[in-house]
Amino acid sequence: MFQHKKILLAIGGGIAVYRIAELARLLIKQGAHIRCVMTESACAFVTPLTFEALTGEKVHRHLFDLTLEREMGHIQLVRWADVVVIAPATANLIAKLTHGIADDLLSTMMQACDVPVLLAPAMNTSMWESAATQRNIQQLKTSGFAILAPNDGFLACGEHGSGRLPEPQNIADAILPLLMPQNLSDEHWVINAGPTEEPWDAVRLLTNRASGTLGARLAQIAAAMGARVSLIAGPRTPEFGHGIQRDNVQTAEEMLLVCEHRGRACDVFVATAAVSDFRFVDISQEKMKRGDTTQLAVSLTSNIDIVAHIAAMQERPKKVVAFAVESSNHLAFAKDKMLQKGVDAIVANDVQNMGNNHAGGWWLDHHSQSTLENSSKYEFAQQIVHKIMEIPS
Ligand SMILES: Cc1cc2nc3c(=O)[nH]c(=O)nc-3n(C[C@H](O)[C@H](O)[C@H](O)COP(=O)(O)O)c2cc1C
């Protein structure tokens, strides 16, 4: 997610500092290059050694560092970064930032900062809710700082309330949009994802191996690029990213209804869900008994083809993209499907991608055909988003 991205972690002196070590690890695992600046108070909670060991980089903490300042280090630090993350953002740092106070390395460097900044405040509830902190936060928001509001929960001080540092993955999710071009800010994307489940009796289902990961990644990337995103999610579809409006559904019929509702006149409809082609004619409310039979015939009836239905709607989305999962002749089958379903483009991929962390395939639209490189599902989704953006509206 953060391949080749340079993230400057500016660490304030709150009890949640120890959780920033986990954030640093997570960001590094996702490809980021991390440097850290710590306030003197932060160093009283966790030693800089922890962050030096995790990042393999010197931790910066002194404004009057002769080696660093020979090159105007406090300015170079923010010039190096693609994004600055202040976490935990203490009440003190929030106040200093609001009023332009520059009395240590972290606050001085922030005066020279012109890259996006995310603040993750964490503190005791009364401190968070205090008039001064709330006023400062409003002012920082107005000045263009991104603020990740703290969670509710048990706080280190033993109290319960608002002020908990969000989970490291939630902080990472909030960093992503600050690193992405906001090219989709006028668009509404509707994405369906995951498998569907068709009940047969009280406990048995007809389903498939789809994980929903690709659709959830597409939703995350489109939202990070500024789109309003609706995700219609089959069972077990994971949650990635921020600000995604999500409807959980089980059966193909439920998915159809929600897709129809959300997809009407949207800008982009992407059908990644592995929707069951069939459902049971008779559904038992009780658990069916095994009995003495050695063979059993069940009756199935076909479900509506959701993507073809959406592509044929009167208030059709501007762009409709289907997926074709095949085990052979991928391109030939995909081309037939694109025409049959009346969609603008189709992504052909192999059944082996289902439930895997990696995926590759082919992109086909009415003007072009290209290979989508085998990569992580996040990067695969990124390639698809760029292809969708290239379809003429
Ligand atoms: C045990 C302890 C825990 C603290 N936890 C927090 C905290 O979670 N959030 C906060 O804003 N301040 C907290 N403080 C207060 C800050 O450490 C204090 O305001 C300090 O001046 C912050 O310095 P800095 O903003 O330069 O890092 C805590 C203080 C102590 C002694």
Side-chain angles (χ1 to χ4, degrees):
M1 245 164 76
F2 295 105
Q3 218 64 43
H4 311 302
K5 297 296 179 198
K6 291 178 272 184
I7 302 177
L8 185 60
L9 281 184
I11 306 169
I15 194 73
V17 178
Y18 72 97
R19 298 182 63 207
I20 305 305
E22 207 184 316
L23 173 66
R25 263 180 67 92
L26 182 92
L27 295 172
I28 291 167
K29 211 170 130 199
Q30 296 181 1
H33 187 170
I34 302 289
R35 285 185 184 165
C36 297
V37 174
M38 296 177 78
T39 63
E40 278 313 301
S41 310
C43 298
F45 288 90
V46 172
T47 67
L49 182 63
T50 303
F51 291 97
E52 294 200 349
L54 287 173
T55 62
E57 293 266 359
K58 171 183 157 70
V59 167
H60 304 279
R61 56 189 286 202
H62 301 299
L63 180 57
F64 300 103
D65 177 328
L66 284 181
T67 332
L68 195 66
E69 283 312 312
R70 221 176 290 135
E71 291 132 23
M72 296 299 256
H74 62 281
I75 295 171
Q76 292 310 324
L77 273 170
V78 274
R79 297 259 163 90
W80 167 85
D82 295 315
V83 65
V84 176
V85 179
I86 307 184
T90 57
N92 178 54
L93 281 176
I94 290 166
K96 289 206 302 191
L97 212 53
T98 309
H99 299 288
I101 293 170
D103 64 355
D104 62 2
L105 177 61
L106 197 157
S107 54
T108 305
M109 124 197 143
M110 290 313 294
Q111 295 305 309
C113 179
D114 49 18
V115 296
V117 181
L118 174 73
L119 269 82
M123 62 199 72
N124 166 275
T125 309
S126 306
M127 284 172 81
W128 172 244
E129 289 176 351
S130 73
T133 300
Q134 286 305 311
R135 201 171 46 236
N136 292 338
I137 285 287
Q138 284 317 318
Q139 199 166 318
L140 290 175
K141 272 188 190 164
T142 313
S143 311
F145 290 88
I147 314 280
L148 179 64
N151 286 345
D152 280 358
F154 275 109
L155 306 175
C157 56
E159 294 176 16
H160 190 277
S162 180
R164 242 184 95 76
L165 188 80
E167 294 305 315
Q169 186 57 60
N170 293 343
I171 302 177
D173 286 345
I175 298 170
L176 192 64
L178 303 181
L179 293 164
M180 303 277 250
Q182 298 299 292
N183 298 347
L184 305 180
S185 53
D186 296 327
E187 299 193 4
H188 179 203
W189 284 45
V190 179
I191 298 163
N192 70 12
T196 54
E197 290 177 347
E198 303 299 334
W200 179 38
D201 69 6
V203 292
R204 299 180 180 97
L205 305 160
L206 176 64
T207 187
N208 59 64
R209 289 194 289 124
S211 66
T213 306
L214 184 61
R217 287 292 185 203
L218 283 166
Q220 176 184 25
I221 294 165
M225 293 177 75
R228 177 160 74 87
V229 177
S230 306
L231 178 67
I232 299 130
R236 296 174 297 284
T237 299
E239 280 185 39
F240 300 124
H242 261 303
I244 295 162
Q245 187 260 319
R246 178 178 171 122
D247 294 287
N248 292 319
V249 296
Q250 186 193 14
T251 65
E253 280 183 315
E254 284 168 16
M255 187 166 274
L256 171 68
L257 285 177
V258 186
C259 286
E260 220 176 28
H261 172 61
R262 301 276 181 216
R264 192 162 288 130
C266 69
D267 293 285
V268 176
F269 184 90
V270 194
T272 71
V275 181
S276 177
D277 289 329
F278 297 97
R279 67 179 184 278
F280 292 95
V281 172
D282 297 311
I283 303 170
S284 167
Q285 300 307 313
E286 305 282 315
K287 180 177 177 243
M288 310 267 281
K289 298 273 180 247
R290 180 189 169 94
D292 294 332
T293 41
T294 52
Q295 288 200 355
L296 183 68
V298 291
S299 201
L300 298 170
T301 184
S302 62
N303 282 322
I304 289 184
D305 183 332
I306 295 181
V307 71
H309 177 80
I310 297 289
M313 279 196 315
Q314 212 172 23
E315 290 174 272
R316 181 196 195 274
K318 290 194 191 113
K319 299 176 186 177
V320 180
V321 179
F323 274 67
V325 181
E326 308 288 354
S327 45
S328 62
N329 291 334
H330 305 81
L331 277 169
F333 283 132
K335 196 167 186 178
D336 283 352
K337 275 191 182 168
M338 178 170 73
L339 300 172
Q340 223 177 62
K341 292 173 189 281
V343 297
D344 303 290
I346 196 156
V347 177
N349 65 127
D350 194 85
V351 280
Q352 303 236 338
N353 288 337
M354 274 179 124
N356 242 334
N357 286 332
H358 278 67
W362 299 267
W363 170 267
L364 257 107
D365 59 32
H366 294 283
H367 315 282
S368 68
Q369 174 184 317
S370 52
T371 305
L372 299 168
E373 297 300 330
N374 198 299
S375 49
S376 70
K377 285 224 166 133
Y378 178 83
E379 287 160 325
F380 188 54
Q382 252 182 338
Q383 296 179 61
I384 294 167
V385 169
H386 286 119
K387 286 288 176 192
I388 294 173
M389 288 166 66
E390 285 168 11
I391 305 174
S393 318

